[in-house]
Amino acid sequence: MVSGINQLFNRMSDHPDLGKLLLRLTFGGLLLFHGEFKVVHGVGWIAHMLAAKGLPGFIAYGAYIGEIVAPAMVIVGLMTRPAAFVMAINMLVATLLVKMGALWHRTDVGAWSLETEVLYLLGALAIMFLGAGKYTLVRDARLQ
């Protein structure tokens, strides 16, 4: 009986392209909120942090690419793998720049203080490795 239920559930839920779409919409959509914040408030505060670490301030403008352009590309399925890679690099740089001092810390509720950043990083890498799937606005020539 358990085996039958498992087989039925597997047949009903075996939709890898739908799973890929859900990942793309989730991680791309949520990262766009971070990009929208930077559009409204600018990236000057990031440039100051970069300067404090001896890096050129113009690198801060990369946040627009990593948090607006790349997530939008991931959402529509345009060059999904490279765009997801850009999102992953963006999260790695943001974590190194803002949160490295919190590597071993936990929040008040016991969560790892870097869990959100790591979730975005690994989500972007998962999208990069999985690809867009068949539900995209821009079809990959290999899938046609």
Side-chain angles (χ1 to χ4, degrees), residues 11-48:
R11 277 195 310 273
M12 291 175 54
S13 62
D14 186 20
H15 300 283
D17 289 311
L18 188 57
K20 292 174 185 179
L21 174 64
L22 187 58
L23 275 173
R24 289 184 7 245
L25 293 176
T26 300
F27 284 96
L30 290 174
L31 199 52
L32 280 174
F33 285 106
H34 295 266
E36 182 268 341
F37 178 85
K38 288 167 182 78
V39 167
V40 172
H41 299 285
V43 294
W45 59 279
I46 299 172
H48 292 310

Side-chain angles (χ1 to χ4, degrees), residues 17-128:
D17 289 311
L18 188 57
K20 292 174 185 179
L21 174 64
L22 187 58
L23 275 173
R24 289 184 7 245
L25 293 176
T26 300
F27 284 96
L30 290 174
L31 199 52
L32 280 174
F33 285 106
H34 295 266
E36 182 268 341
F37 178 85
K38 288 167 182 78
V39 167
V40 172
H41 299 285
V43 294
W45 59 279
I46 299 172
H48 292 310
M49 280 193 266
L50 288 164
K53 297 198 183 294
L55 297 168
F58 73 86
I59 296 173
Y61 291 98
Y64 293 125
I65 295 168
E67 296 178 13
I68 296 172
V69 176
M73 291 171 67
V74 163
I75 288 170
V76 300
L78 174 65
M79 295 179 59
T80 303
R81 292 176 194 264
F85 179 70
V86 168
M87 286 170 46
I89 295 299
N90 180 74
M91 285 313 303
L92 187 62
V93 170
T95 303
L96 290 172
L97 191 61
V98 178
K99 290 259 192 136
M100 266 325 286
L103 185 62
W104 305 113
H105 295 125
R106 298 180 116 194
T107 67
D108 292 338
V109 295
W112 185 31
S113 60
L114 295 180
E115 75 180 21
T116 302
E117 292 78 12
V118 171
L119 184 65
Y120 277 114
L121 172 65
L122 296 179
L125 290 176
I127 293 167
M128 182 184 80

